Amino acid sequence: MTPMQSLLACYHVIKGGNTPYLIGSVGIGKSAIIKLLALRLADDLKLKLVRDVINPNAKQFSFIDLRLSLLESVDLGGLPYLDADFAQKRAFLGNLPTGGKGLLLFDEFAQAHPQLQAIAGQLLYERRIGEYVLPEGWTICCSSNRQSDRAGSNKLPTHVVGRCSIIDFDHSIDDWMDWAINNDIDPMIRGFINFQPQGLLDWSPKIETPQATPRSWERLSDTLKTGIPKDMRIDIFKMDVGQKWAVEFNNFLQLSEDVPNIEGIMKNPKKADVPEEGGLCYATAVALVTTVSNANKKKVYDYFDSALIYLQRYKTPEFGVFFVRQTATARPEIKETKTFADYKVNNSELDVL
C-alpha cells in the first residue's frame, strides 16, 4: 500500500478494535505515517496531541514511540521484586501508559530480542503484562522493516502475525511530494525527485554505503538549507544519498543556475524564453514554485497567473501540473482563483489535485 493508503488502513483497523502492523523497507516513512495516524485519532476526539505522556489529561491524546530494539526485557516487562508478603510482583519503569487516551507504537518490533517480542505480544493479545493492564483509552500499533531488508530484523513470531493486521507499506512519489511540501523539504529536492522519481528510493540491502531513501533526502534537505559551498556539494550530498544520486542532484542544481530570468517571466510570460532541455524545464518550474510560494499577498495571485501562462507554453503539461500541485499545497488560497479552477477543468484528465 502507498503511505496514504496505509494511513487509512491503520485508522480503520484501530477503529475496528484491532492492531495494525506496518512492515516495509528502510527509511520510507513508516514512523511519519504513524505520527499522522496519532494526529488523526486525536482530531477525532478533539484532543491535543502530546508526546510521551503516560497519563494524559482529559484534553490530551498521547503518542508514545517505543523502539523495541533499544529495550531490554525489564524495560517493558518490569523488574521483579518481593512485596511485604513475599509475593512476587513487578516494578514497571514508567514508560507504559497508566491512564487517559493515546496511541502506543512498538517500532522496530522485528529487530527486538525474541524475549522482548514475547512480552510485547502479551500486550497485543491480552492488553496486560502480569499485574499491569493497558488502559482502555489506549491502542497499539506496530512497525518494522522486512527480514529481507537485512536491517537486523528477525522473522515475526506466528503469534504476532496472528494477532495483528499486517500492512505491506511501500513508497509513493505523489504521497511523498505532498508530505515534502507540508514538511518544508527544500524545493530543489522536490523538483529533482519529480524530475527523476527513481531517485526517491534506490536502496539495496547488499550495499553498505549511504543510499537514497525518503529519510536520507529529508536529512539532505536540512543540510542543503545551510548554504553548502559549491565545491563541496557532491562530497556532502553523498554522505546521505550516495555517490550516484549526489552527482545527479548536483547536476540538477547546476542547471538551476541557467534558468531564464524569473522577473522577466513574471512581467511578460507570453514572450519570455522557454527552455528545451528537460532538466532545465524542471529547474525553471522549481524556481517558479519558490517565487509564487514566497510571494506576499498582493503579488501571489498575479505571480501564479503569469507563471501558469508561461508553463503552458511548454511542450508537455507535466511541468504545469507539477507547478500547480506544489503551489496550491504551499499557498491554499490559490485554489479559490478562477485561474486555478479553469486549469483544473481544462486538465481534468491529468489529476492535477
Side-chain angles (χ1 to χ4, degrees), residues 305 307-316 320 343 346-347:
D305 290 351
L308 196 52
I309 290 171
Y310 175 78
L311 289 169
Q312 287 178 302
R313 294 172 55 205
Y314 279 26
K315 293 181 179 179
T316 58
Y343 183 83
N346 293 335
N347 296 274

Side-chain angles (χ1 to χ4, degrees), residues 267-279:
K267 289 181 177 179
N268 199 343
K270 294 183 179 180
K271 293 186 178 181
D273 292 339
V274 173
E276 296 289 332
E277 197 271 325

Side-chain angles (χ1 to χ4, degrees), residues 42 45-50 53 55-62 99-102:
L45 299 171
K46 295 181 173 55
L47 301 177
K48 179 182 179 180
L49 183 65
V50 294
V53 178
N55 188 21
N57 62 41
K59 295 182 179 180
Q60 296 176 327
F61 184 90
S62 182
K101 294 179 173 64

